[in-house]
Amino acid sequence: MHKPISALIRIQLKMQYANVFKKPSVVIGLIAGLFALLFLGLIFGGFMLQVIEAMYTLLEPSGNTNIILGTLFLMHFLIVFIFSLALIMNTFYFTEDITSFLHFPVQSFQLLVAKSLNPLLYVYLISAAAYLPVSIYYGLLSGAGAMYFLYALLLFLLIPLIPYSLAAVIVMFAMQFINKGKNKDRSKVIGGIVGFLLLILLNVVLRMQQDPEKIAQLLASSSEKGGLLQVATLYYPPAALMTNLLTFSASWQALLYFVAVLLTAFLATLLFYVAAQKFYLKGALGLNTGSGKIFSGKGVSQKQRSIIHAYRTKEIQTIFRTPTFFLQCVAGALVMPALLVVIFFMGDFSTAADLVKDIDGSMLFVVILATNIFSIGLNPISIVSFSKDGQSWEAHLFLPLRMRQIVLAKLQAAFLINLLPIIVLFLVAIPVLQMNVGEALLWLFLALLVNAAVTIVGMLSDLLYPKLGWTEETELFQNRLASLIALVISAGSMSFLIAFLFALKLQMLASLIVTVLYMCGLIALLLYIISRLLKSADRTTLTR
Amino acid sequence: MIQIDHVHKQYGNKIAVNDISLTVPSGKIFAFLGPNGAGKSTTIKMVTGILPVDTGSITINGKDIASDTIAAKQEFGYVPDSPDLFLRLNGLDYLHFIGDIYGIDRDVRTERIEQYAKMFSIYEALGDQIKTYSHGMRQKLFITGMLVQQPSVWILDEPMTGLDPKSSYQLKELMRQHAANGNTVFFSSHVLEVVEQLCDEVAIIRKGELLFQGTLPKMRERFQSDESLEHIFLELTQDA
């Protein structure tokens, strides 16, 4: 390995993972995360395998089963490509440490190979979930020999490089123009939002048909017209090479196809190299510099604000001006309700309204409550309440601020930002579910109550497992036990309430009273625990 | 006035500050010296309430930092050694934030922001985020923040680091003026020439122990030396 690359890789590994396995809490978080991934993989895998089996049965008589592989490679390309766009933007451009490496006498591609370690790890995890179960199951169904599985494994190692490299080339090409933009942070945010929109688009594509039989029939009819494999080949030619490689794995032709795939991956990597050398520095240099605008004096005179008002404004300004926080806590929160609608009611809103009409009063209450909990609970804003301050936390210790003021201002900021998904969901839900005024008001009231409780749960989780010593903001949203704890406490406390209401089947009004009492009790208890935690914590690190 | 009374701080088995007692009087510029790792920053962090003291007490203008925390913190302004705080705020947001926290009213605040931001040549950059500032500009912004607040006690940790000669000169003038008005200036520095020309009193710390506190003439008298402060300092801390 080239010496600078190995040195850069070593330092990247040390910076990202050196302390990961030292803390038991992180190890527990990682294990829990892996289990969650496995669980999701099993659900997705189970569904996919049903599709594969149905398709295989349908396509076997005509001998067109290789359509399955063609589709697999095309879908794999799309999924990895879209995820790579977001990962690469974050790692290559948005992290705070990008300037730390720019003065070293290393080539751009060497730096980017080292920086690719972390995103590639995620890419291979996604690949493992999307590609391995289907390809292995296909091999078992077709009674393939050992060479099939060997080639399938080699493909697993090679194929993520193609979408990853192409995504990197596109990002690097685009970023050189974004860097010339007047408001760089805004450009970063727009880039991130495009990533989110692509995710929604992918979801729409995936949700177009969700019945395994229907998918199989659609694919079978396409194959009869000789359609889908050609489509796959047209939009992503390497899919045909990969399909042929596995289809003819037992013959000598396979070797030729393998060489062709190898060359394709090499070509993609070469493109990565060329783009890195030609475009990366143009996009990265000066990304963290000032706007060059001369301050006009506007806003120098400003009305005096209360401490809580000033602190709350500071919190909101920090969140809106930090691309990672903005994307995770604001853009993500706005996109999630839209994603929920796509996931549950894609293209068939009449079903949603019918669904609600069939629910009686007490159940409607439970449904509204559960939807609110789910939509608000997805926003990670309060889970980074304290941790997002990072080294600025020190300022809280020498400024004349009471902990009560800090907590209150942070809660208010998180509560206000959490109102965004509520508003979006509310605006979408009223026409979709055809709610009357009473139901809409009930929705809103419950949303505010749930927002308060979930926000406090997030803050509590952040205090239980704080992370002030981060080097880049993205670390706050990856592998954190606080996220898991927040999920467990929110889900646990809210499921208890929902189960209680579900079991008692109370009238709407009685349900409302029980919910209000329960939530107020919960909020008081959580605030008490937060105050105890703050008293017992080391004030410089917030750990105990 | 800052009163440090038998303060002790320990990290595990390592003693960072060992039973230090120090009086920083009003109307004086007081320098706190010592080699790297001597315990200067730990002491300053205890004075400012960033670190808790293990034993002993610290008062600022008679207010105890441990028991009367908020009142004590209202008494001083602090410029940290690494001004990498609130990086996502722009310069003006930071100054208003400080103004609001310390309750500086609108007119006074506007006047001070304009006066000191222009004095330190950062006025034109007030619309930019702090993260885009150079080290020196950040330092100047945090000094401006303290001047907007105008507390009676100034605590400055390595305040000259990164400052251009003009700003450094202006800060020294402001320190002199502040002390001449009967206020307290407590600062740490490695630039001994600055200390020599600026200070009324010095304290030297080594390995957590206070080696000396007093005026420069007293120091020369005690160590029977006519050499420069640099020479005496090096002698005192030679095995540090």
Side-chain angles (χ1 to χ4, degrees):
Chain A
M1 195 181 284
H2 199 278
K3 222 176 162 190
I5 294 185
S6 61
L8 288 165
I9 287 177
R10 246 197 333 270
I11 200 80
Q12 289 283 336
L13 283 174
K14 276 194 176 169
M15 280 164 65
Q16 301 256 0
Y17 298 105
N19 295 318
V20 168
F21 300 104
K22 283 181 187 162
K23 288 185 189 166
S25 62
V26 179
V27 176
I28 295 168
L30 278 175
I31 292 169
L34 274 176
F35 271 106
L37 258 177
L38 202 69
F39 178 68
L40 284 174
L42 281 177
I43 294 175
F44 179 68
F47 170 72
M48 284 308 292
L49 297 185
Q50 274 182 54
V51 176
I52 304 306
E53 198 162 347
M55 278 172 72
Y56 198 89
T57 317
L58 272 168
L59 294 167
E60 203 179 12
S62 61
N64 279 326
T65 51
N66 59 356
I67 289 295
I68 298 169
L69 292 174
T71 316
L72 169 68
F73 289 119
L74 180 65
M75 292 309 283
H76 171 272
F77 174 81
L78 281 174
I79 294 170
V80 173
F81 178 76
I82 290 172
F83 273 100
S84 297
L85 283 177
L87 286 168
I88 287 164
M89 255 189 283
N90 263 330
T91 318
F92 289 8
Y93 296 96
F94 293 179
T95 53
E96 291 298 319
D97 72 339
I98 59 162
T99 48
S100 317
F101 296 95
L102 293 178
H103 64 279
F104 288 128
V106 292
Q107 303 282 349
S108 300
F109 86 92
Q110 293 171 324
L111 180 60
L112 294 187
V113 166
K115 273 189 166 286
S116 288
L117 268 185
N118 208 29
L120 275 177
L121 180 74
Y122 282 94
V123 160
Y124 274 97
L125 277 174
I126 294 163
S127 270
Y131 164 77
L132 282 180
V134 178
S135 60
I136 292 171
Y137 195 58
Y138 180 89
L140 293 174
L141 281 174
S142 62
M147 285 310 285
Y148 171 92
F149 292 101
L150 177 70
Y151 281 128
L153 194 69
L154 288 171
L155 279 182
F156 168 67
L157 298 174
L158 283 177
I159 58 172
L161 295 175
I162 300 169
Y164 179 81
S165 299
L166 288 182
V169 169
I170 290 171
V171 169
M172 285 191 267
F173 182 75
M175 280 307 286
Q176 52 175 346
F177 302 108
I178 285 173
N179 193 12
K180 284 179 189 151
K182 278 183 182 165
N183 192 328
K184 289 160 193 170
D185 276 348
R186 195 176 296 159
S187 314
K188 290 180 194 175
V189 166
I190 291 168
I193 290 173
V194 169
F196 271 121
L197 292 177
L198 282 171
L199 262 179
I200 293 184
L201 187 73
L202 177 69
N203 220 290
V204 171
V205 171
L206 289 174
R207 301 289 305 182
M208 292 288 263
Q209 291 292 342
Q210 49 181 319
D211 181 1
E213 288 291 333
K214 276 189 188 166
I215 295 176
Q217 274 167 10
L218 176 84
L219 292 175
S221 66
S222 305
S223 82
E224 275 159 20
K225 295 171 211 152
L228 204 78
L229 192 58
Q230 275 76 0
V231 171
T233 317
L234 185 69
Y235 288 108
Y236 183 49
L241 292 176
M242 295 161 193
T243 307
N244 287 336
L245 165 60
L246 290 186
T247 309
F248 304 112
S249 58
S251 77
W252 63 270
Q253 286 166 282
L255 197 64
L256 287 180
Y257 285 118
F258 179 70
V259 173
V261 173
L262 199 66
L263 278 173
T264 312
F266 175 74
L267 196 70
T269 318
L270 194 69
L271 268 176
F272 177 90
Y273 167 82
V274 173
Q277 294 293 87
K278 209 167 166 55
F279 306 134
Y280 180 64
L281 285 183
K282 284 184 193 160
L285 288 179
L287 204 58
N288 284 339
T289 54
S291 64
K293 274 187 256 172
I294 293 176
F295 177 62
S296 63
K298 194 180 159 201
V300 170
S301 178
Q302 185 182 286
K303 207 175 132 196
Q304 196 183 326
R305 301 167 295 184
S306 71
I307 289 182
I308 289 181
H309 182 181
Y311 194 96
R312 188 179 62 226
T313 310
K314 184 222 78 163
E315 285 284 291
I316 294 173
Q317 281 170 335
T318 308
I319 290 162
F320 273 78
R321 288 177 189 169
T322 313
T324 308
F325 295 151
F326 182 83
L327 288 173
Q328 294 280 350
C329 306
V330 182
L334 289 172
V335 169
M336 281 303 170
L339 207 58
L340 274 181
V341 173
V342 169
I343 289 169
F344 289 119
F345 308 120
M346 171 63 202
D348 194 7
F349 288 160
S350 57
T351 325
D354 291 345
L355 215 74
V356 174
K357 278 205 180 74
D358 292 341
I359 302 171
D360 62 19
S362 60
M363 277 306 97
L364 180 64
F365 183 87
V366 174
V367 168
I368 291 175
L369 184 64
T371 316
N372 275 320
I373 292 166
F374 190 61
S375 64
I376 300 160
L378 288 171
N379 193 358
I381 181 148
S382 56
I383 303 164
V384 295
S385 290
F386 290 93
S387 297
K388 73 172 177 307
D389 287 323
Q391 58 182 350
S392 291
W393 174 250
E394 192 175 292
H396 298 79
L397 304 172
F398 65 77
L399 291 172
L401 292 165
R402 290 177 204 283
M403 207 44 93
R404 189 164 34 86
Q405 293 168 322
I406 297 173
V407 168
L408 203 58
K410 281 182 183 294
L411 282 178
Q412 285 179 7
F415 183 88
L416 285 173
I417 289 174
N418 262 343
L419 287 178
L420 293 171
I422 293 174
I423 293 166
V424 172
L425 199 63
F426 187 66
L427 292 177
V428 173
I430 286 181
V432 170
L433 303 179
Q434 293 163 15
M435 288 191 288
N436 59 37
V437 179
E439 287 164 353
L441 285 174
L442 179 70
W443 177 296
L444 211 57
F445 177 71
L446 285 178
L448 296 178
L449 211 55
V450 170
N451 186 2
V454 171
T455 304
I456 299 171
V457 168
M459 179 180 269
L460 173 71
S461 316
D462 192 31
L463 270 178
L464 282 169
Y465 294 97
K467 186 172 184 167
L468 289 169
W470 45 267
T471 45
E472 50 184 82
E473 293 99 350
T474 45
E475 289 171 34
L476 294 176
F477 302 97
Q478 294 166 354
N479 311 327
R480 274 195 74 203
L481 198 53
S483 316
L484 188 71
I485 297 287
L487 191 73
V488 170
I489 301 176
S490 300
S493 56
M494 300 299 169
S495 327
F496 179 75
L497 174 66
I498 289 173
F500 186 68
L501 293 172
F502 192 79
L504 288 182
K505 288 203 166 53
L506 299 167
Q507 289 302 307
M508 183 92 79
L509 184 66
S511 297
L512 183 64
I513 294 168
V514 169
T515 305
V516 170
L517 288 175
Y518 180 85
M519 290 291 205
C520 290
L522 182 69
I523 288 169
L525 177 71
L526 291 169
L527 285 174
Y528 173 74
I529 299 173
I530 286 176
S531 72
R532 299 297 303 170
L533 282 174
L534 280 169
K535 268 185 192 145
S536 62
D538 175 314
R539 58 199 209 195
T540 46
T541 59
L542 286 178
T543 53
R544 277 164 309 281
Chain B
M1 181 166 120
I2 301 170
Q3 185 74 49
I4 299 171
D5 197 18
H6 295 290
V7 164
H8 185 87
K9 181 78 188 169
Q10 205 161 330
Y11 299 113
N13 290 328
K14 191 179 174 248
I15 296 171
V17 173
N18 191 13
D19 195 34
I20 277 185
S21 292
L22 201 66
T23 303
V24 183
S26 302
K28 296 270 172 72
I29 300 180
F30 193 107
F32 196 38
L33 311 177
N36 295 328
K40 291 191 305 294
S41 283
T42 301
T43 307
I44 289 179
K45 283 186 167 145
M46 286 190 289
V47 172
T48 51
I50 294 171
L51 284 176
V53 294
D54 289 349
T55 54
S57 70
I58 296 169
T59 58
I60 293 144
N61 286 346
K63 283 150 190 155
D64 193 297
I65 191 74
S67 60
D68 197 4
T69 311
I70 300 296
K73 286 178 181 176
Q74 291 280 6
E75 295 294 322
F76 68 83
Y78 171 54
V79 177
D81 56 344
S82 47
D84 301 324
L85 309 172
F86 306 115
L87 297 181
R88 287 286 175 179
L89 296 185
N90 67 37
L92 185 66
D93 291 334
Y94 170 75
L95 295 176
H96 278 310
F97 178 64
I98 290 296
D100 291 328
I101 297 293
Y102 288 96
I104 311 298
D105 91 45
R106 183 182 184 153
D107 294 340
V108 175
R109 189 192 306 185
T110 307
E111 190 192 314
R112 287 178 188 169
I113 289 176
E114 286 192 336
Q115 180 189 348
Y116 295 114
K118 280 176 183 163
M119 176 189 280
F120 286 112
S121 312
I122 54 165
Y123 188 79
E124 290 187 347
L126 283 184
D128 287 336
Q129 285 186 25
I130 302 173
K131 73 187 273 280
T132 65
Y133 287 15
S134 66
H135 179 88
M137 279 173 74
R138 289 181 194 182
Q139 191 80 358
K140 290 196 262 185
L141 179 74
F142 282 84
I143 292 168
T144 306
M146 189 188 69
L147 295 166
V148 168
Q149 174 198 349
Q150 286 208 358
S152 69
V153 177
W154 291 5
I155 302 172
L156 313 143
D157 200 355
E158 306 281 352
M160 307 297 172
T161 312
L163 292 190
D164 52 68
K166 185 182 160 205
S167 304
S168 181
Y169 172 79
Q170 275 157 339
L171 178 62
K172 283 185 275 185
E173 285 302 301
L174 288 168
M175 287 162 81
R176 282 194 186 102
Q177 208 177 318
H178 194 63
N181 291 338
N183 298 304
T184 310
V185 179
F186 179 51
F187 79 106
S188 75
S189 182
H190 286 296
V191 191
L192 298 175
E193 290 85 356
V194 171
V195 174
E196 208 158 15
Q197 56 179 253
L198 193 65
C199 287
D200 302 302
E201 276 193 42
V202 294
I204 299 179
I205 184 173
R206 190 191 63 174
K207 292 181 179 170
E209 309 267 355
L210 195 64
L211 297 181
F212 174 80
Q213 181 194 350
T215 59
L216 286 173
K218 242 190 199 169
M219 182 191 256
R220 289 201 173 90
E221 189 184 307
R222 177 156 155 202
F223 297 102
Q224 296 175 338
S225 169
D226 286 328
E227 301 279 354
S228 65
L229 173 64
E230 186 180 29
H231 190 87
I232 301 171
F233 179 81
L234 290 173
E235 285 272 308
L236 270 172
T237 58
Q238 60 185 339
D239 60 338

